[in-house]
Every structure is written in C-alpha cells, then in structure tokens.
Amino acid sequence: MVDGATRDGYGAGLVELGTSNPNVVVLDSGVSDSTRSKKFGDKFPDRFFNMGISEGDMVCTAAGLAQAGKIPFATSFACFLLGRSMDQTLVSVAYSNTNVKLVGTHSGLAVGEDGPSAQMIVDIAYTRAIPNMTVIQPADWEEARQATIALANYKGPAYMRLGRSNVKGIYDPKTYKFEIGKASVIKQGSDAVVFATGSMVEETMKALEQLGTEMNVTVVNVSTLKPLDEATIIDQVGKNKIVITAEDHNRIGGLGDAVCEVLMNHQICKPFKRIAVNDTFAETGSASELYEKYGLSANHIVRALREVKA
Amino acid sequence: MNNSKVAHLENRAKQLRRKILKLIHKAGSGHPGGSLSATDLLTALYFGDILQYDSKDPHKPGRDRFLLSKGHASALLYCTLAEAGYFPEEDLADYRKINSKLFLSGHPHPKTPGVEIASGSLGQGLSVAHGIALGIRNEFPSARVYVVMGDGELQEGQVWEAAMSAAKFKSTNLIAIVDNNKVAQDNLTKDLKDIEPLEDKWRAFGWETLRIDGHDMSQIMDALQKPVGKEKPRVIIADTIKGKGVSFMEGQTAWHGVAPNDEKLEAALKELA
C-alpha cells in the first residue's frame, strides 16, 4: 500500500502517461506545484501549458487541444476549476463532447484552514448533473494513479476530484485494478453497508476500528460517481441491513442523492443515513476539526451506524 | 488581387446573403443582422482560397480550421458550409427543426460536418481556437486557425484571458477576426459598454492588429493573404455594418434576432437582386 495524497497519485500517473502516451498534454492555471501537474511539466515541458490564473480560458483551450487530437488534462484547485468554468465545461467540453479531463485538487472541507472559498463542496453535484460527463473520485494514491491512466484511455469528457491531504493506502498496487464505473468492496460485512467516496473511505475505515467487533460492516468505495455502479450498490444493499453514505461534499447532489436515486428507482427501502456537509458553508480550521464539527469524522460514522436501526 | 476575382467574390457574398435571409425566414427564427455583417468575411475565407479545407473529408488532418465564436450567426455558417460542399443545400431545410439530420441547431455543434466546436455562449471561441492552434502547430506548421468573434463578444473577460495566452505562447498560427458591426442585442455596443479603442487594446495584449473595412472585398483579401508574423498572433478588426445589404436592417438592434416575414423577405431580396 502507498500512503499519500490523491493529488500525488495523479502526478505520478501523469508522469507515466508522459512516456507511454505522446498525445497526453497537461494544462494548469497557475497552481501546478500544488496540483502536482508540475511533475509532468518538469519532464515534458513541450506538452505542458500553464495558462495562468484563468480557468475559463484553460478549460476552453483544453477543448481546442482535444479537437486537435490531444488528450488534455486541465488541472486546478477544484473550487476554481469548476467554479470559474461551469459554462465552459457545459458548452466547450460536455456539449461538444470533447476528450477533456478536468482534474480538481484540494476538494472538500479537507482543504482546511484556507476556509470556505477554497473548500469545494458542490463539484460532484455540478459535474454529475452535466450530460456526457464521467465523474471519478479516487480514495488513495494508487487508485488516483490508476484512474489517471484509465482516464487517458477513456474517450470522452470527465472530471476527477482529488484531495490535498495524505490518506492511508487502501489498495495493493500489485493486485488492485481500477476500472471506470466499478465500485470496489473493501470489506464485506452483513450488518450495515457504508458507501464512501474519496477521503471518506479512510474515515470509514477509522470508524470500523472504533467499532471493533460490535458490528459487521461492509465498506464500498464508490470511486466512480457517474456512471454509478448500480449493480454493486443494489447487491450490497441486499446483503446488509442498513445503508450509510459518506462524502466530503454537500448533502445535495452528491453520493447520498445518487444512492437514494438508485434505491428509489428499484423500490428498495432500507434504514438510511447520509454523512455529508449539511447544506452549509463551513469555516476555517484543520481538516480533522472541520470533519468533527461538520459531521464527517469517523465518530459521526460510528454514531450513525449505532443510531440507524434495522 | 484582380478586379474580376473581387467581383466574383462580391457576387458570391450577395448570393449567400439571399440564402441566409431565405433560411431564417423559412425557420421563422434566427439572427439576420450578425449573419449579414460577417458574410463578406466568410465568403473571402471559404471561397477566396484562404481556408484550406476538403469538404468531402471534414476531419482531414492538417486542414485549416474555422471557428464561429459568435455562434448566433449560424445561418451564415450553415449556408457557407453547404455552398462549400460539406452537405447538400436541401439539408438546410432542417435548420432549427427538431430531428434535424445534420444537427442544424440554432447555434453550431460539431455533429454538423465542418463545425469544429459548439458555440453560442460568447467568449469561448478564441480560447478553443487557441487550443487547436497549440495542438497542431508542431505537426502541421503551415495550418492556420481562424476564429470570427462579434464586437459585443469582446465584453466577455475570457476573450482577454485568451488574448494574453496566445501572446504568451507566440501562437502566430492563430488569426482572430472581429466582426465589428457595433450593434449588440440590446443596444449599440458602445452604449452597452464601450470596447474601443480596439487596436490599442489588442496591441497592449501582445497582438499584431490590422483594421479594415469588412465589406471591402479587396481589403479583406489583402488582410487574409498577408503572411503571418514570427512572434505575435494577429487580429483583423473588420469594421462592418449589422444587417449589411438590406437597408431597413442596417445598423438596427431590432434585426439582431428576428426572422423577416414574407413581406420583409421580399423587400430584402429585391435589394439584393
């Protein structure tokens, strides 16, 4: 297992792609050191375009590069990338169906002290609502590395959501194989299933340590948020008594809504609770303080698992 | 350029204007004013041997690219593409109609042969054109990317982001053309929010500028035939008249997005006879 931030896995994946796929090009909007796209830029300067602090221009330039046969990864902090280029993403990327990969790092409350203007908590809702878009959020370094490579091999617009902070490695690079559209069962249980995404997978694993043998909990990493792996969700809901979703994102339009939609569409009714930001802007503070105060920490997952009765 | 070639292009532009007005009339909606203002520019590009394209192979590698950033002038683009042989003229009957075979939407989309990118949200075309220019410059150094923008569109901040980017990357294979018809949907562009002095602005952003009469075919051809420089991207500021060629449409905000009725069409076609 490799411990590290998903943004670092992205940087490593890009460097691999630099050698293996000459059509891959990378854009950034002035934060390449933080997003790790600089790792690619340092090695392949002719295929790296730092567009300066102008995300709308960057996203449309990426669309043009795609129409010239390139595979562009347009990178910035999640808050600016999508906040500043919603229309560009709609028209030049999704509607035009260009082969652009949007990569937003520093997502969620996990970004911490920079405060709510830097804490992107609506990007899953934004991107899931856009036709033609694939939406991915890897849970650890290795999955981020593999997802980066998978996105280069996938034709079509996509958004990948990454984090700043280090997370504990979940997947063994030797055995794990990421696949777009597939959720992965990290631990099979029978009492409750937690569908988690991104940094909340680690938080869920911490919750399991606290619970010990009290409950036999299933953990599913939903790393592709669109298209959702409905088969795995339905299967695991059937195998467990209660259902929890966990995401570092607003409760509206995120993983919780997506899972609810699947369950409603299939007339499945189970005790349910979502762990998410409760439709509020947070504040400054460390990531762990914010997770505690705004209901995302392992403690909250434990509480939810105990409170929701089958 | 010789007089007979100029006269030939002028005549083609006139025929194109007639087709545009008939098309918008038939569809019952559309944007005549901004289509007629840029008609001479597209005529020169497509029929003056400027743009290098193969209408039978729309995705031919190494082709020159054309982008209509002011996507509301779709009637002009579709009539031009049909005339250039990308699809039969009969197919234009689907314009703005549901189930359109060639996806002849109110604003362009790349499902239509000859269209490189969707447009309709102003301000994005220069960035996209620049992305294409960056993408093709090593493999096809002689290929050019042309993008036509509206003057009102220059009020969008993204245009200036893209202008800075193209200067930074010395994208001399990118040629921007401003259809400076001076009239936007609501108002005169200068009253809405003045974009002048245009040449000073573009120069300050690192561009080479040319300013021409956008209805004078020899001036248009001279500007388009001028070899590109070695350092700076080029903008051609074409002073035009909104609704050009139809007296009652010229310079009128009212004809920005309104289709002519039977009577107005007949009157317009009479003027363009």
Side-chain angles (χ1 to χ4, degrees):
Chain A
M1 321 294 171
V2 185
D3 296 343
T6 50
R7 60 177 166 148
D8 287 311
Y10 169 60
L14 283 183
V15 171
E16 282 182 50
L17 284 169
T19 309
S20 64
N21 192 333
N23 283 326
V24 167
V25 296
V26 178
L27 303 88
D28 205 293
S29 54
V31 288
S32 66
D33 195 17
S34 298
T35 64
R36 304 298 194 244
S37 72
K38 187 174 185 292
K39 300 265 180 210
F40 180 96
D42 286 346
K43 285 213 155 119
F44 309 97
D46 293 346
R47 289 150 61 192
F48 179 71
F49 305 99
N50 198 330
M51 307 305 295
I53 306 161
S54 44
E55 296 77 13
D57 179 43
M58 174 181 72
V59 167
C60 288
T61 305
L65 282 158
Q67 296 306 70
K70 306 296 178 193
I71 305 168
F73 283 76
T75 323
S76 187
F77 295 151
C79 54
F80 308 133
L81 178 69
L82 291 158
R84 301 303 292 234
S85 72
M86 189 59 181
D87 183 39
Q88 291 84 349
T89 298
L90 271 175
V91 177
S92 291
V93 177
Y95 176 49
S96 294
N97 211 10
T98 51
N99 194 20
V100 172
K101 319 302 170 186
L102 301 171
V103 181
T105 68
H106 296 59
S107 62
L109 299 194
V111 76
E113 292 84 350
D114 284 339
S117 62
Q119 294 160 354
M120 180 43 123
I121 54 164
V122 298
D123 49 339
I124 298 174
Y126 266 10
T127 50
R128 280 191 69 245
I130 302 174
N132 291 345
M133 285 292 272
T134 290
V135 183
I136 289 170
Q137 177 167 231
D140 77 350
W141 187 97
E142 173 61 17
E143 191 173 39
R145 184 191 70 82
Q146 289 195 29
T148 304
I149 292 162
L151 280 176
N153 295 323
Y154 164 79
K155 196 161 169 37
Y159 172 58
M160 182 158 69
R161 184 182 207 243
L162 301 175
R164 181 182 69 170
S165 315
N166 282 343
V167 285
K168 221 170 151 221
I170 296 159
Y171 294 112
D172 183 346
K174 289 195 198 74
T175 54
Y176 182 63
K177 180 82 185 73
F178 169 82
E179 216 178 305
I180 295 172
K182 288 271 180 237
S184 79
V185 180
I186 295 172
K187 180 182 164 292
Q188 184 65 59
S190 55
D191 292 329
V193 55
V194 181
F195 295 107
T197 185
S199 57
M200 295 303 286
V201 174
E202 182 184 47
E203 217 55 37
T204 304
M205 299 314 282
K206 284 188 210 160
L208 261 58
E209 278 173 35
Q210 284 189 39
L211 281 165
T213 55
E214 186 182 330
M215 278 178 104
N216 190 8
V217 179
T218 303
V219 182
V220 180
N221 169 24
V222 185
S223 47
T224 305
L225 294 152
K226 187 186 175 187
L228 208 59
D229 184 353
E230 294 198 13
T232 298
I233 290 170
I234 292 167
D235 179 49
Q236 288 300 333
V237 169
K239 285 175 176 161
N240 291 276
K241 297 187 193 79
I242 67 170
V243 180
I244 307 282
T245 60
E247 61 199 306
D248 180 354
H249 182 274
N250 198 16
R251 60 182 295 132
I252 296 169
L255 174 65
D257 274 10
V259 169
C260 280
E261 187 188 334
V262 172
L263 301 187
M264 287 302 285
N265 284 343
H266 291 83
Q267 284 90 47
I268 300 169
C269 189
K270 284 264 168 123
F272 177 86
K273 186 170 172 68
R274 70 181 90 191
I275 299 284
V277 180
N278 193 19
D279 198 23
T280 185
F281 290 106
E283 62 189 287
T284 189
S286 73
S288 57
E289 288 168 334
L290 291 169
Y291 271 32
E292 204 56 56
K293 182 165 177 180
Y294 291 89
L296 306 181
S297 70
N299 291 332
H300 288 275
I301 299 172
V302 167
R303 202 172 306 153
L305 284 163
R306 283 176 179 152
E307 279 172 6
V308 182
K309 292 277 182 266
Chain B
M1 132 163 280
N2 67 48
N3 290 342
S4 73
K5 192 155 182 208
V6 168
H8 167 75
L9 287 173
E10 283 170 349
N11 185 49
R12 280 197 96 149
K14 187 159 80 177
Q15 298 313 318
L16 207 48
R17 284 190 165 92
R18 293 174 61 88
K19 283 181 189 171
I20 290 163
L21 290 169
K22 286 186 203 166
L23 187 63
I24 296 173
H25 166 262
K26 188 160 184 291
S29 66
H31 297 80
S35 293
L36 298 181
S37 63
T39 302
D40 297 309
L41 299 169
L42 266 76
T43 300
L45 279 163
Y46 277 88
F47 310 117
D49 196 30
I50 300 297
L51 200 68
Q52 301 301 306
Y53 61 91
D54 180 352
S55 58
K56 297 299 161 221
D57 183 8
H59 294 287
K60 189 176 184 170
R63 67 190 181 279
D64 286 348
R65 311 279 189 131
F66 174 76
L67 282 77
L68 182 70
S69 189
K70 43 173 285 182
H72 53 282
S74 57
L76 162 63
L77 180 62
Y78 299 151
C79 287
T80 305
L81 291 174
E83 181 83 11
Y86 283 89
F87 44 81
E89 207 169 307
E90 307 84 88
D91 288 353
L92 288 171
D94 283 353
Y95 179 51
R96 287 176 168 261
K97 298 279 192 290
I98 196 162
N99 300 322
S100 165
K101 194 170 74 180
L102 295 174
F103 210 77
L104 298 177
S105 176
H107 294 82
H109 185 278
K111 278 184 193 164
T112 303
V115 175
E116 303 281 354
I117 194 82
S119 55
S121 177
L122 294 176
Q124 301 187 23
L126 185 61
S127 299
V128 176
H130 182 225
I132 296 175
L134 289 171
I136 64 174
R137 65 180 179 182
N138 292 333
E139 211 177 334
F140 305 104
S142 61
R144 303 275 175 269
V145 186
Y146 298 89
V147 54
V148 166
M149 292 179 285
D151 58 326
E153 181 172 10
L154 302 189
Q155 293 172 346
E156 290 280 4
Q158 189 184 339
V159 171
W160 303 100
E161 297 177 5
M164 279 186 269
S165 296
K168 167 184 170 168
F169 289 102
K170 299 184 168 49
S171 298
T172 54
N173 56 347
L174 174 65
I175 292 139
I177 303 167
V178 178
D179 172 18
N180 189 28
N181 67 31
K182 303 171 194 69
V183 179
Q185 176 175 330
D186 259 4
N187 219 332
L188 298 181
T189 308
K190 74 173 164 59
D191 294 336
L192 202 54
K193 185 156 74 181
D194 200 358
I195 57 170
E196 293 284 1
L198 273 181
E199 289 148 288
D200 289 349
K201 280 201 174 79
W202 283 97
R203 273 191 214 118
F205 279 77
W207 286 57
E208 179 198 307
T209 63
L210 294 174
R211 190 153 191 160
I212 60 167
D213 175 344
H215 299 307
D216 181 322
M217 200 53 83
S218 8
Q219 283 191 37
I220 298 170
M221 287 299 294
D222 284 350
L224 291 173
Q225 284 171 332
K226 193 179 171 201
V228 299
K230 286 192 165 43
E231 286 281 319
K232 293 178 178 181
R234 174 180 297 157
V235 58
I236 299 169
I237 299 156
D239 286 311
T240 57
I241 295 166
K242 192 138 175 166
K244 171 72 179 177
V246 180
S247 59
F248 55 87
M249 290 185 178
E250 288 190 358
Q252 300 299 313
T253 50
W255 286 99
H256 171 85
V258 177
N261 60 19
D262 295 350
E263 181 199 337
K264 292 290 184 191
L265 177 70
E266 201 189 324
L269 293 178
K270 216 171 266 172
E271 291 191 26
L272 291 164

